[in-house]
Amino acid sequence: MEHLYEMLKQVDGYIYPNEIELHWGILIVLYPYITGLVAGAFILASLERVFKIKVLRPTYHLALLTALAFLLVAILPLVTHLGHPFRAYEIMTTPHLQSAMAIFGFVYLWYLMVVLLLEIWFDYRRDLVLWAEQSTGIKRRLYKILTLGVTDLSPKTIAWDEKLGFIVTVVGIPSAFLLHGYVGFIFGSIKANPWWSSVLMPVIFLLSAMVSGIAMVMFLYMVVSRIRKVKIDMPCLDEIGKFLFMVLILDFTLESLDQVHRIYEAEESFEILHMLVNGKLNITLFIMQGLVGTIIPLAILGFFRIHLPKEKIRKPLYMLSGLMVLVGVFFMRWNVVIGGQLFSKSFLGFTNFKLGMIGAEGYLMAIFWLVLPFCILSFFLWLVPPWKKHAEAELTE
Amino acid sequence: MPPQLKTLLPVLAVFICIFLVARHFLIPDSFGKYGHYRANSMDEIAALPAHHIGKAACMDCHDTEAAKLNSDLHSGLTCEVCHGPGWQHMDDPEKNKLSKPGTREFCGKCHDMNPARRTSVIHQIDIKTHNIDRANCIDCHNPHAVWEMKD
């Protein structure tokens, strides 16, 4: 009881009792962010595979492994948030068929097992067999297990790898759209919340996912090249920059359309949303998401479309715009998840959100879940390095 | 059939079988008896100790205060709204005393001026300027009988 009176200090105006405390904190911000990186990275990979944009070849495997590393972590912030890891499986064993979240478990599993793991397996099977022959000790055993016993290296079987992998990728594109569109749907379908309830939400989430995934692969490609001390393939980087620019324009347009639509309609919720945007979300929306995450990267990448400066200038600018986009998309998720809970559904008041450091909902925990995919990716890059794959020419022979 | 599928399809079949078997054992017995939840949880939740005991339980001992409270504007409030959960106090009234708040901040939670609150429903004053000679609201007002003024 005393606790409640203490908490009322953070309230402005009138608010319903169950709105004082935010139920969804930074971990729920991370969940769509990480899932978005997966979908975005996969779509970048499929540009090479399905849409035959061969110049992107150097980032193909990196994009797939990035997607897998982030997908493995994507649900862990949710499990942490719910705080009952031993009950987490119940979403799969007794799913409620009318619950959007329950079905997400299956969408996630489909994407992990049927799309990503299979595509990577088909793509690496031949190399796994060869690596198993060349290496010793535990690594050799690991490679052998990963081949699942399919060690046939006849041209016919290898052609099947290519063919089946292609089919999986084609199936994977709508799956990636489904995976992230679904995350947007979970928010967009909450009709009681005017900040979330919008049919554009799944599309906006999807496009911002593509933006963040492409930016992440671009960033990782540059970092990995620097660590390996190899030259960055500039045509590839320029092409990624071009796609990032295109998707960023689409994303910006749709998000603006959503807001313009909201402003023009000016429904009964408009006043409180107006106060929200100009007050509590001021910095995260206009500065972080708008200026840092969208306008500046758009200006840099757009300038490169008009005039391509020297490599020395382009590289740091690509790096910078990639990072800025990543920050911007993070704050886009923040503005959606946190912003949607800051105002009362009575439209008469606000509550406050203070991000703690320690504890399950603190930012140290969030940093942990954000760093973990990079550790997993490093392990993947050590175990199945794309640059040690056997030459393409051998593969098609 | 390509050799990859000769391995993958059985692996998939095994995976689905393991899932179905696991599902069979993991679903609690009483799940789905009444609805999409574990029916036994109803009894378990009912057996939990009550934290808020309700006005009737307070009235067993504190009938004078309760009678006063029920006779006027605060009659809609239960005792525990101000005094907090009473379950421990009911078990051992000597050991577990309840709080008796009456500060300007506490009463101000409801009675401080707030434009979003209707004055016709809740009497409101400015806690910063209202009768500042006295420190606390209960120095003048009796919360159990709001019409009563102390000296």
Side-chain angles (χ1 to χ4, degrees), chain B:
Chain B
M1 197 201 282
Q4 290 95 327
L5 290 187
K6 275 184 199 159
T7 307
L8 286 177
L9 291 177
V11 167
L12 182 70
V14 167
F15 180 79
I16 292 173
C17 287
I18 291 175
F19 175 76
L20 291 176
V21 171
R23 183 173 185 271
H24 174 77
F25 287 105
L26 287 173
I27 295 178
D29 290 337
S30 61
F31 186 86
K33 192 175 163 193
Y34 303 132
H36 201 85
Y37 57 92
R38 194 166 57 87
N40 287 351
S41 66
M42 305 264 279
D43 298 332
E44 286 166 27
I45 293 167
L48 290 174
H51 284 215
H52 286 92
I53 49 174
K55 209 173 188 174
C58 306
M59 281 170 78
D60 284 346
C61 302
H62 305 280
D63 48 351
T64 327
E65 285 82 358
K68 268 188 181 174
L69 188 71
N70 282 342
S71 66
D72 205 50
L73 284 169
H74 274 177
S75 63
L77 302 180
T78 68
C79 312
E80 290 163 302
V81 167
C82 296
H83 295 291
W87 61 301
Q88 285 173 321
H89 175 72
M90 193 168 70
D91 285 347
D92 190 346
E94 289 308 310
K95 198 174 147 204
N96 306 308
K97 297 282 184 198
L98 291 182
S99 65
K100 292 181 183 171
T103 59
R104 282 173 180 265
E105 283 70 34
F106 184 84
C107 300
K109 297 293 177 197
C110 295
H111 294 291
D112 191 15
M113 247 337 188
N114 182 345
R117 238 180 336 233
R118 287 166 63 190
T119 42
S120 58
V121 177
I122 296 181
H123 182 67
Q124 291 166 67
I125 46 101
D126 185 351
I127 56 167
K128 290 198 185 72
T129 56
H130 178 79
N131 198 12
I132 44 174
D133 300 340
R134 303 288 182 94
N136 293 319
C137 303
I138 52 170
D139 294 343
C140 298
H141 301 277
N142 180 355
H144 293 129
V146 285
W147 73 94
E148 223 176 72
M149 295 292 275
K150 295 176 185 171
D151 298 329

Side-chain angles (χ1 to χ4, degrees), chain A residues 1-2 5-6 8-9 13-14 89-90 92-97 106 109 113-114 118 121-122 125 147-150 152 156-162 164 348, chain B residues 1-8 11-12 15 19 22-24 26-28 31 36 38 52 80-85 99 101 105-106 109-110 114-117:
Chain A
M1 183 61 64
E2 273 67 44
Y5 287 115
E6 271 306 302
L8 278 175
K9 283 182 190 147
Y14 180 82
Y89 64 83
E90 287 177 17
M92 308 295 294
T93 54
T94 54
H96 198 300
L97 298 178
F106 291 94
L109 198 67
M113 305 291 285
V114 180
L118 269 190
W121 187 74
F122 281 127
R125 192 191 64 84
T147 60
L148 300 178
V150 188
D152 187 353
K156 214 175 142 194
T157 316
I158 288 171
W160 270 114
D161 275 335
E162 184 67 18
L164 291 169
L348 290 172
Chain B
M1 197 201 282
Q4 290 95 327
L5 290 187
K6 275 184 199 159
T7 307
L8 286 177
V11 167
L12 182 70
F15 180 79
F19 175 76
R23 183 173 185 271
H24 174 77
L26 287 173
I27 295 178
F31 186 86
H36 201 85
R38 194 166 57 87
H52 286 92
E80 290 163 302
V81 167
C82 296
H83 295 291
S99 65
E105 283 70 34
F106 184 84
K109 297 293 177 197
C110 295
N114 182 345
R117 238 180 336 233

Side-chain angles (χ1 to χ4, degrees), chain A residues 120-373:
Chain A
I120 294 173
W121 187 74
F122 281 127
D123 205 61
Y124 271 98
R125 192 191 64 84
R126 176 178 183 273
D127 302 278
L128 288 171
V129 175
L130 293 174
W131 286 334
E133 283 168 9
Q134 290 156 5
S135 43
T136 51
I138 195 157
K139 226 176 166 184
R140 178 191 173 89
R141 203 167 297 169
L142 215 55
Y143 287 136
K144 275 202 163 163
I145 294 170
L146 288 174
T147 60
L148 300 178
V150 188
T151 50
D152 187 353
L153 287 185
S154 64
K156 214 175 142 194
T157 316
I158 288 171
W160 270 114
D161 275 335
E162 184 67 18
K163 211 182 277 177
L164 291 169
F166 184 80
I167 295 170
V168 170
T169 318
V170 173
V171 175
I173 297 171
S175 304
F177 277 60
L178 178 69
L179 177 77
H180 207 71
Y182 206 94
V183 178
F185 174 79
I186 289 174
F187 288 98
S189 60
I190 297 180
K191 63 181 169 190
N193 191 322
W195 187 236
W196 290 342
S197 176
S198 160
V199 277
L200 277 181
M201 204 59 132
V203 192
I204 289 172
F205 261 62
L206 188 64
L207 284 168
S208 54
M210 287 165 72
V211 166
S212 66
I214 293 172
M216 180 58 92
V217 174
M218 183 163 92
F219 167 74
L220 282 172
Y221 176 57
M222 295 177 85
V223 171
V224 170
S225 298
R226 168 65 67 90
I227 294 171
R228 290 178 55 222
K229 298 198 177 68
V230 293
K231 207 173 165 311
I232 291 173
D233 185 337
M234 281 315 280
C236 172
L237 199 60
D238 286 332
E239 192 71 10
I240 301 178
K242 194 176 96 186
F243 278 110
L244 184 58
F245 179 60
M246 272 164 48
V247 187
L248 199 54
I249 290 179
L250 276 176
D251 183 35
F252 182 51
T253 312
L254 275 182
E255 286 195 37
S256 309
L257 178 65
D258 189 33
Q259 297 304 342
V260 168
H261 188 251
R262 193 169 274 147
I263 294 166
Y264 193 78
E265 272 194 341
E267 287 190 18
E268 55 179 344
S269 60
F270 180 68
E271 231 166 298
I272 191 96
L273 293 184
H274 188 255
M275 282 163 77
L276 174 78
V277 163
N278 288 309
K280 290 179 188 284
L281 291 189
N282 205 352
I283 292 171
T284 53
L285 185 72
F286 291 113
I287 308 290
M288 300 312 284
Q289 187 187 338
L291 188 68
V292 173
T294 315
I295 305 288
I296 298 176
L298 264 182
I300 295 174
L301 297 169
F303 176 70
F304 287 175
R305 295 289 97 219
I306 303 164
H307 169 73
L308 220 52
K310 280 189 203 126
E311 229 183 277
K312 238 181 171 177
I313 303 171
R314 262 184 299 163
K315 273 197 258 179
L317 283 179
Y318 274 134
M319 177 74 103
L320 181 73
S321 39
L323 282 174
M324 285 170 101
V325 162
L326 284 171
V327 170
V329 174
F330 176 82
F331 279 100
M332 181 264 174
R333 313 296 193 224
W334 175 281
N335 292 329
V336 170
V337 175
I338 303 296
Q341 300 170 84
L342 286 178
F343 64 94
S344 167
K345 281 20 157 220
S346 65
F347 305 151
L348 290 172
F350 288 99
T351 186
N352 219 337
F353 177 64
K354 193 169 175 293
L355 181 59
M357 181 172 81
I358 311 291
E361 296 281 339
Y363 63 79
L364 285 183
M365 189 55 119
I367 290 171
F368 174 73
W369 289 129
L370 211 50
V371 168
L372 188 65

